[in-house]
Amino acid sequence: MAHEPLSALRFSRLLITGAAGGLGRELRGRMKAYCDHLRLSDIADLGEAAPGEELCPAALQDRAAVLPLLAGVDAVIHLGGLSTEYDFDAILQANILGTYNLYEGARRHGVKRVVFASSNHVSGFRRQNEVVSPLDPMRPDSHYGLSKAFGENLAQFYWDRYGVETVSLRIGSSFPEPRDRRMLASWLSYDDLERLVVAALTAPIVGHTVVYGMSDNATAWWDNTPARHLGYRPQDSSEDFRAAVEARQPVIDGRDAAALYQGGGFVKHGPFEG
Ligand code: 15L
């Protein structure tokens, strides 16, 4: 059955990078309802093209391969790159150089808007008893979080200098359901992910807007008030899973850095290592 779109607005061509990844596969099935042509890119196998899909494999660090991806594209959903912690050289290639190449392609081809999959790990060194807003200073928790902080700065620069708009989504934990106590705060359902991406694509004016990607969870570390102009209204909640999660994980070790900081285990790749 065709996916019912949440907005009547329609694009000619959308590009999804990282389309073979977890969120890429999820959005691949959903975003076709919003465009005539869905261009999909990844270094991993993308399978067979469905009607209306264009498969364009590319390594993000390969500028010559990335620039043409943006030709004829109205907007990009940039999910590509490494989605967890790695050594700095790997992150440098895929996430830092890769995101630069993507923005250069957007600028050269006059792409109007980028939806950038940033991450909550931009501010992962905030404590779990703090509530932070997208306007608060960044506190990256890893090489990965640093690369997303770079991506957000790149987005700001490409808006200020070249007029390329971006919504940076500081995605929490987007999985079918929350896996642990931390994710009761950070969980973003797939349906809410779609609501957020559609809001980011269709809000009339965004400049560079930063928003945390979370469902309507009762436990919340993030205050999205500065991004209300996006019109994002989450409709799912981690409360539906609380009893099961708490039964699986009844005790929290308050001395464990992963339980103290919003970034969870990502913070341990830093000063806590060894
Ligand atoms: C992320 O940014 C990762 O891509 C994802 O795999 C999760 O680990 C998520 O953050 C999280 O913080 O739970």
Side-chain angles (χ1 to χ4, degrees):
M1 209 179 69
H3 186 71
E4 218 32 59
L6 303 172
S7 162
L9 295 178
R10 214 176 149 80
F11 298 86
S12 170
R13 181 175 283 104
L14 293 176
L15 165 66
I16 302 180
T17 68
L23 300 188
R25 287 196 305 271
E26 199 53 48
L27 288 176
R28 178 177 180 173
R30 293 166 183 258
M31 297 317 295
K32 187 66 198 62
Y34 301 92
C35 58
D36 300 329
H37 308 279
L38 186 59
R39 185 170 291 169
L40 303 163
S41 185
D42 208 299
I43 39 170
D45 184 25
L46 288 158
E48 296 292 313
E53 288 184 346
E54 304 167 351
L55 306 188
C56 302
L60 285 168
Q61 54 268 43
D62 179 353
R63 189 165 306 151
V66 169
L67 295 181
L69 287 181
L70 285 296
V73 163
D74 300 318
V76 190
I77 304 165
H78 179 45
L79 308 172
L82 296 170
S83 63
T84 186
E85 181 64 329
Y86 282 87
D87 65 74
F88 184 72
D89 292 328
I91 293 278
L92 178 63
Q93 293 300 313
N95 291 20
I96 294 183
L97 185 54
T99 301
Y100 174 78
N101 291 340
L102 190 283
Y103 271 88
E104 250 318 274
R107 178 184 76 78
R108 292 191 199 186
H109 290 287
V111 176
K112 297 270 179 298
R113 192 172 293 185
V114 179
V115 177
F116 170 52
S118 183
S119 170
N120 73 92
H121 297 286
V122 163
S123 55
F125 261 120
R126 295 284 178 179
R127 297 237 173 192
Q128 292 192 8
N129 58 352
E130 281 181 85
V131 176
V132 296
S133 116
L135 303 182
D136 288 329
M138 296 172 175
R139 297 280 289 272
D141 61 18
S142 50
H143 301 134
Y144 169 69
L146 271 173
S147 75
K148 296 298 184 182
F150 172 81
E152 289 190 13
N153 278 321
L154 197 66
Q156 186 67 50
F157 172 69
Y158 270 75
W159 164 242
D160 289 338
R161 181 171 284 185
Y162 303 118
V164 178
E165 290 196 302
T166 296
V167 180
S168 291
L169 313 179
R170 290 188 185 168
I171 298 172
S173 308
S174 197
F175 298 108
E177 49 185 76
R179 296 173 172 174
D180 55 23
R181 296 272 286 267
R182 171 179 171 271
M183 291 189 191
L184 292 176
S186 61
W187 187 59
L188 173 68
S189 73
Y190 289 151
D191 284 347
D192 281 341
L193 170 70
E194 178 183 344
R195 289 183 186 105
L196 182 58
V197 168
V198 171
L201 286 171
T202 58
I205 299 172
V206 298
H208 176 222
T209 297
V210 180
V211 61
Y212 281 93
M214 59 182 173
S215 283
D216 185 20
N217 305 324
T219 305
W221 301 325
W222 307 319
D223 173 8
N224 271 333
T225 305
R228 286 207 49 185
H229 56 278
L230 294 179
Y232 167 57
R233 281 221 183 144
Q235 287 175 30
D236 296 322
S237 168
S238 63
E239 281 311 288
D240 300 342
F241 304 92
R242 180 179 290 278
V245 168
E246 289 180 349
R248 275 204 307 273
Q249 196 189 359
V251 179
I252 294 285
D253 178 0
R255 292 159 307 173
D256 182 359
L260 283 176
Y261 292 101
Q262 296 181 4
F266 281 64
V267 303
K268 293 187 180 185
H269 294 281
F272 297 96
E273 211 166 34

